Amino acid sequence: MAKKQTAGRDMLGDFAPQFAALNDDVLFGEVWSKENELSAHDRSLITIASIISAGNLEQLDAHLKIGKKNGITKDEIVAEITHLSFYAGWPKAWSAFNRAKEIWKED
């Protein structure tokens, strides 16, 4: 079982407690924990693709790190971002590659 998520409470608990609880308890506690439906690896690939496509790059670093912990390899992230570049846009891919390059720099 995955480690209990507390990022919502840690970062927004005092300011937006309901949102923080939904983030930690529902999104990560219930949705992400259903590994019999989708593995954490696959959920990470899907989440990263969604973040890149929407251009929500502020959230990308955290999810790239989670994805790496969930077993996404350098080759997989490169293939994913390359594929997305044609659907989500070249500039978004450049931005994503710059972030991914830092996270997988040791691989």
Side-chain angles (χ1 to χ4, degrees), residues 10-30:
D10 294 346
M11 298 176 74
L12 292 174
D14 292 337
F15 187 74
Q18 182 181 17
F19 181 85
L22 290 168
N23 180 82
D24 296 349
D25 301 338
V26 178
L27 176 59
F28 285 96
E30 293 179 26

Side-chain angles (χ1 to χ4, degrees), residues 2-3 21 25 27 31 42 45 51 53 58-59 66 73 76 78 84 87 90 94 97-99:
K3 180 182 163 195
D25 301 338
L27 176 59
V31 176
D42 291 350
L45 285 171
I51 289 169
S53 295
E58 183 178 339
Q59 301 297 314
I66 291 167
T73 66
E76 287 175 317
V78 167
L84 283 169
Y87 293 93
W90 210 257
W94 267 102
F97 272 127
N98 285 330
R99 287 169 163 80

Side-chain angles (χ1 to χ4, degrees), residues 2 31-48 66-67 69-72 76:
V31 176
W32 272 83
S33 67
K34 293 186 178 188
E35 294 214 17
N36 60 321
E37 296 172 2
L38 280 173
S39 68
H41 175 274
D42 291 350
R43 286 184 195 278
S44 284
L45 285 171
I46 293 164
T47 302
I48 290 166
I66 291 167
K69 286 180 188 172
N70 287 337
I72 296 176
E76 287 175 317

